[in-house]
Amino acid sequence: MVQAITGSAPVSGEREVPYTLIRPDGGQGRAVCFVCPGASYLFDKPLLHFSTMTLLRFGADVVHVRYAYGKDNTVFWNLPEDERSRVMQEDVRAVTERVLHHSDYEQVLFLGKSIGTLPIVNGVCRSPRHAQAAVILLTPLLTLQTVADHLLTCPQAVFLAIGTGDSYYSEPVIRLLAKTRPNVTLHIVPQANHALEIGLDAEASLDVLRSLMRDMALFLSDRLPIPAR
């Protein structure tokens, strides 16, 4: 029976970051995945909803990091790009430290969507503490130079999914990753947009989602064999 536990992690001053810890069988799993959503692409959206289901099926605990960076957060969006990344890194680090302080996991994973990939690529992937973590990046912001640079030196095992119709898609970066980074598994979807959907074609978009979950499961199976039932 799936269990959901809410909590919050202090960051600085009086600010706290809420999160939800989801456990597949009530007790602690052998792995944990911290999920960082997009600005408006939240946990009820297809990519994150079915990613959560997939992770739970592999026996992993899932932590939804519930920071608030929607378009109505004008203070955040008026910050320079590097400052936005820094603030997000602080929030994700606070939740990560709070959860890991109380639990001992065999494997730690991070999954980000869109802007939620910033604290992972610019923070987690550069942290010696998480050198053995596995990383899943859904539609990362490849057109940002810092993201491209850090991905090209990232030591972790990475699963990266993006569509060629995404405004953040970068063919030169993808070519470099494919040529020089054997630790990065690429899932490139022709014509798919930033939601990994094919325009208004529902059937094609569902096929994309099905293929993505299948390939993500293959990536996870190398690290988390599905527990026997």
Side-chain angles (χ1 to χ4, degrees), residues 89-147:
Q89 289 177 54
E90 284 185 353
D91 287 2
V92 173
R93 187 185 308 115
V95 173
T96 302
E97 291 178 352
R98 170 59 64 93
V99 172
L100 295 182
H101 178 71
H102 298 289
S103 306
D104 184 25
Y105 291 99
E106 298 174 18
Q107 175 75 62
V108 178
L109 304 97
F110 292 85
L111 184 153
K113 167 70 174 84
S114 187
I115 196 173
T117 63
L118 284 184
I120 298 174
V121 175
N122 293 346
V124 170
C125 288
R126 303 174 70 201
S127 169
R129 180 182 183 186
H130 297 302
Q132 302 304 314
V135 172
I136 298 171
L137 305 175
L138 305 180
T139 66
L141 312 184
L142 298 181
T143 55
L144 300 185
Q145 193 61 52
T146 55
V147 171

Side-chain angles (χ1 to χ4, degrees), residues 1-5 20-28 56 61-62:
M1 181 178 179
V2 174
Q3 178 187 29
I5 304 167
T20 303
L21 169 60
I22 307 168
R23 289 176 166 165
D25 294 308
Q28 179 184 310
L56 291 172
D61 290 353
V62 179

Side-chain angles (χ1 to χ4, degrees), residues 25-57:
D25 294 308
Q28 179 184 310
R30 58 215 171 105
V32 63
C33 182
F34 296 90
V35 182
C36 306
S40 57
Y41 201 99
L42 304 179
F43 302 108
D44 57 344
K45 299 285 188 177
L47 294 178
L48 296 187
H49 175 73
F50 287 103
S51 292
T52 296
M53 287 180 64
T54 300
L55 287 158
L56 291 172
R57 182 166 64 92

Side-chain angles (χ1 to χ4, degrees), residues 207-222:
D207 287 342
V208 169
L209 179 62
R210 186 177 298 109
S211 174
L212 173 64
M213 291 302 117
R214 182 176 61 245
D215 285 359
M216 185 186 298
L218 287 173
F219 176 80
L220 291 171
S221 66
D222 289 336

Side-chain angles (χ1 to χ4, degrees), residues 4 20-22 37 57 67 71 75 78 87 103 130 149 155 164 170 190-191 194 196 214 218 222 226:
T20 303
L21 169 60
I22 307 168
R57 182 166 64 92
Y67 47 54
K71 296 301 182 182
V75 173
N78 285 334
V87 170
S103 306
H130 297 302
D149 290 345
T164 61
S170 171
Q191 302 178 22
H194 195 53
L196 282 176
R214 182 176 61 245
L218 287 173
D222 289 336
I226 295 179

